[in-house]
Amino acid sequence: MNFTVSKQPENCLLGPESDSQRTLYPYVTGTSVVALKYKDGILMAADMGGSYGSTLRYKNVERMKPIGKHSLLGASGEISDFQEILRYLDDLILYDNMWDDGNSLGPKEVHNYLTRVMYNRRNKFNPLWNSLVLGGVKKGEKYLGTVSMIGVNFEDNHVATGFGNHLARPILRQDWHENLSFEDGVKLLEKCMRVLLYRDRSAINKLQIAKITEEGVTISQPYSLKTYWEFSAFANPAQGAVGTW
Amino acid sequence: MFRNQYDTDVTTWSPAGRLFQVEYAMEAVKQGSAAIGLRSKTHVVLGCVNKANSELSSHQKKIFKVDDHIGVAIAGLTADGRVLSRYMRNECINYNFTYESPLPVGRLVVQLADKAQVCTQRSWKRPYGVGLLVAGLDESGAHLYYNCPSGNYFEYQAFAIGSRSQAAKTYLERRFENFTDSSRDDLVKDAITAIRETLQGETLKSSICTIAVVGIGEPFHILDQGTVQQIIDTFEIAAEQEGPAAEPDAAEQSAAAADQGGSTDEGVAPMDI
């Protein structure tokens, strides 16, 4: 029995809304994704945590997935919405392959498709609660872009979502340069992820690094970063700044 | 064509397994004025003969730009062609909006063919009476396709459709093996020559033909009359040097003049092959 009354005023433009609900807040969320362009393609890193509010509940969540032959998608935010997006992309790639004509959707096309999806959901006040990072290589051209839950999209040489924007991007702005080698790229990403691990409470010390080049996608096995908690600034944080914790 | 009792409906098969309405639609294509297309590895050229009803009227538009990388030349019921061009433009622009990328011509052609097929299997519709030569680029280079009213499509190195297209086809058949590596300008020259073949002796002028080009690094566009006339003039000059029956007037006609007043002038350009 339905006791709720959802009466809309006559001048309302909203459609029928008796049983379904709109997204109000996310439940199981992933934290930052960081990615950069390097010599042979794109490197992307994300930890494997799925938080349930303030609880670090799930510790084996893969937040990066290959899409088609040329792209890699990383997501932060609501994990179930990420899974829904993967389903849309699965259909998209399937129909693209069914043409069987030598043409294929590259990372730019997938990125723009996702932008349309995210923006249209935002317009209906029912967003997919994710920030996405889409990277790939096609015919030697490297591509790295991001889309937010409200449909803001752009490309850059390095991108990050969530806390990564505040903690990782400044490091990348300083240390990134064209044609990084694979080792340097990984080192740079690990530097960013370590800072995130120290400072983002929803980060866990179990991450994967994914690489996409012309040859294809490789996602590493999960591993941990070495941390050092004996810095004097950690031991005595108030020394330089009174009142801090 | 013979009248018979199985040709009233497109949804009626003949005992010999034919759909006569579809075949009659293909006849309509053969009655339209000629259109030709040819391609190299990097460029595609489309050409058509423009016939106007009278000297007073303008000629029908038979070449349409569909997108920066796709164009189409039609022969047959031009009204049907216009509607299909609008469909193609719509598909291209929608794809570009969603994917920020040009629609591969091969996929557009299949969509067009599927649309034509629907009309061969509904009793309340009739097949489109227009043949389309679709020129476009995609990841694998330059392509030329021919879309039939029957819903079939074929890829070609060079092709001609419409009335007296056989003459153009003969010319193209002799030369097509060289087209893959032709330069853009040679391709255009070959297109104009093929058009001339369909005119069967009538003077070739830029006012009665339209040429369009698309290529890698060159968006689809229709060549302006002045440029086309210049190219025609280079043929005439070559013809003059070869044959004494060449018409001096034809070579000196002003490029910008679109008047059709002197269409049946004295003398005729030599059939130079």
Side-chain angles (χ1 to χ4, degrees):
Chain A
M1 280 189 285
N2 184 12
F3 291 115
T4 57
V5 178
S6 45
K7 173 101 172 49
Q8 299 166 19
E10 273 169 32
N11 57 355
C12 189
L13 290 172
L14 297 170
E17 41 175 41
S18 41
D19 285 329
S20 67
Q21 286 186 322
R22 297 156 187 279
T23 302
L24 297 171
Y25 23 73
Y27 286 85
V28 180
T29 56
T31 185
S32 330
V33 177
V34 189
L36 47 81
K37 280 189 192 168
Y38 79 109
K39 184 162 57 94
D40 304 326
I42 311 290
L43 281 168
M44 199 184 293
D47 70 24
M48 300 196 73
S51 306
Y52 186 66
S54 53
T55 312
L56 298 175
R57 185 157 171 192
Y58 301 103
K59 307 226 183 121
N60 204 22
V61 181
E62 278 206 32
R63 298 196 289 116
M64 296 182 295
K65 293 284 183 186
I67 309 291
K69 285 193 291 264
H70 307 283
S71 315
L72 175 64
L73 176 66
S76 66
E78 174 61 60
I79 300 298
S80 61
D81 283 350
F82 176 50
Q83 291 170 345
E84 186 74 352
I85 289 170
L86 289 176
R87 232 177 33 80
Y88 287 154
L89 288 176
D90 210 22
D91 278 351
L92 183 73
I93 300 293
L94 181 73
Y95 286 120
D96 188 44
N97 288 341
M98 270 164 58
W99 282 103
D100 197 18
D101 64 351
N103 291 304
S104 55
L105 293 171
K108 179 161 92 132
E109 289 80 23
V110 177
H111 185 216
N112 279 287
Y113 171 78
L114 287 172
T115 307
R116 290 291 116 233
V117 170
M118 301 300 270
Y119 185 64
N120 279 317
R121 289 288 297 253
R122 164 264 198 199
N123 285 343
K124 295 196 270 205
F125 279 89
N126 190 15
L128 288 160
W129 206 287
N130 294 108
S131 286
L132 306 170
V133 173
L134 200 299
V137 194
K138 190 173 175 203
K139 294 239 176 78
E141 294 262 337
K142 301 187 279 259
Y143 186 90
L144 181 60
T146 176
V147 198
S148 76
M149 70 190 249
I150 56 172
V152 176
N153 102 331
F154 56 89
E155 292 167 58
D156 208 338
N157 293 320
H158 47 81
V159 296
T161 67
F163 262 91
N165 272 312
H166 301 105
L167 299 174
R169 292 301 292 290
I171 300 176
L172 291 164
R173 280 183 204 120
Q174 201 174 50
D175 290 350
W176 184 90
H177 58 86
E178 286 272 3
N179 289 321
L180 282 163
S181 70
F182 175 72
E183 291 75 26
D184 285 342
V186 173
K187 256 203 230 113
L188 188 47
L189 276 182
E190 283 183 347
K191 186 174 178 186
C192 297
M193 295 304 279
R194 187 170 288 111
V195 172
L196 286 166
L197 181 57
Y198 285 132
R199 296 293 176 175
D200 179 5
R201 71 120 183 242
S202 10
I204 62 166
N205 197 1
K206 183 178 177 194
L207 71 142
Q208 290 178 303
I209 296 210
K211 150 174 95 113
I212 179 165
T213 61
E214 194 76 56
E215 281 82 53
V217 173
T218 342
I219 304 183
S220 74
Q221 286 299 319
Y223 68 103
S224 308
L225 296 169
K226 287 207 180 63
T227 57
Y228 180 69
W229 295 94
E230 307 313 316
F231 288 116
S232 60
F234 291 169
N236 194 9
Q239 187 172 49
V242 179
T244 191
W245 65 99
Chain B
M1 283 292 278
F2 304 107
R3 298 233 126 246
N4 38 51
Q5 44 176 170
Y6 305 106
D7 65 357
T8 317
D9 257 320
V10 75
T11 50
T12 305
W13 287 100
S14 83
R18 294 157 70 168
L19 289 170
F20 283 111
Q21 278 297 307
V22 176
E23 295 183 24
Y24 295 166
M26 309 226 263
E27 267 308 300
V29 176
K30 291 185 203 156
Q31 304 297 342
S33 54
I36 60 113
L38 33 123
R39 72 160 164 108
S40 71
K41 208 163 19 199
T42 55
H43 287 78
V44 195
V45 179
L46 291 175
C48 70
V49 171
N50 307 322
K51 284 300 168 62
N53 283 336
S54 73
E55 288 175 12
L56 298 170
S57 78
S58 66
H59 60 79
Q60 289 200 310
K61 189 161 167 192
K62 282 162 49 83
I63 294 191
F64 299 90
K65 174 169 173 166
V66 167
D67 202 344
D68 283 336
H69 67 299
I70 300 182
V72 61
I74 64 173
L77 263 53
T78 41
D80 283 1
R82 213 178 46 238
V83 158
L84 288 177
S85 305
R86 187 165 55 232
Y87 168 76
M88 292 165 80
R89 285 171 176 166
N90 219 27
E91 291 300 300
C92 282
I93 217 170
N94 284 339
Y95 187 92
N96 208 320
F97 177 67
T98 310
Y99 301 102
E100 278 255 347
S101 204
L103 174 59
V105 63
R107 295 190 182 187
L108 178 61
V109 158
V110 174
Q111 282 174 265
L112 200 53
D114 288 347
K115 192 170 162 71
Q117 190 280 339
V118 168
C119 298
T120 67
Q121 214 177 3
R122 306 278 186 269
S123 60
W124 61 91
K125 286 184 183 257
R126 64 156 177 83
Y128 288 106
V130 65
L132 301 119
L133 282 171
V134 184
L137 306 172
D138 84 20
E139 274 179 26
S140 39
H143 297 272
L144 174 68
Y145 294 92
Y146 171 52
N147 276 69
C148 249
S150 60
N152 284 327
Y153 67 95
F154 308 93
E155 187 168 359
Y156 284 98
Q157 186 76 45
F159 200 48
I161 56 177
S163 66
R164 294 186 290 210
S165 57
Q166 189 50 54
K169 264 190 243 179
T170 315
Y171 173 78
L172 294 170
E173 268 167 29
R174 246 181 286 131
R175 308 286 217 88
F176 79 93
E177 267 147 358
N178 303 324
F179 289 162
T180 311
D181 299 312
S182 262
S183 74
R184 173 212 186 268
D185 293 334
D186 283 343
L187 218 57
V188 174
K189 280 205 198 94
D190 275 320
I192 297 180
T193 317
I195 297 274
R196 196 170 57 178
E197 300 298 309
T198 68
L199 294 172
Q200 309 275 27
E202 213 184 304
T203 322
L204 173 67
K205 290 181 290 198
S206 63
S207 50
I208 57 169
C209 70
T210 309
I211 306 287
V213 188
V214 65
I216 295 180
E218 189 178 349
F220 183 88
H221 64 288
I222 295 177
L223 299 183
D224 80 303
Q225 280 210 323
T227 321
V228 178
Q229 190 59 50
Q230 272 175 12
I231 304 176
I232 293 175
D233 293 344
T234 58
F235 293 166
E236 306 301 304
I237 293 171
E240 269 179 37
Q241 289 169 348
E242 281 182 44
E247 242 254 86
D249 279 13
E252 282 156 34
Q253 254 172 33
S254 155
D259 67 300
Q260 306 217 350
S263 61
T264 44
D265 259 351
E266 67 285 60
V268 137
M271 282 292 285
D272 174 49
I273 296 186

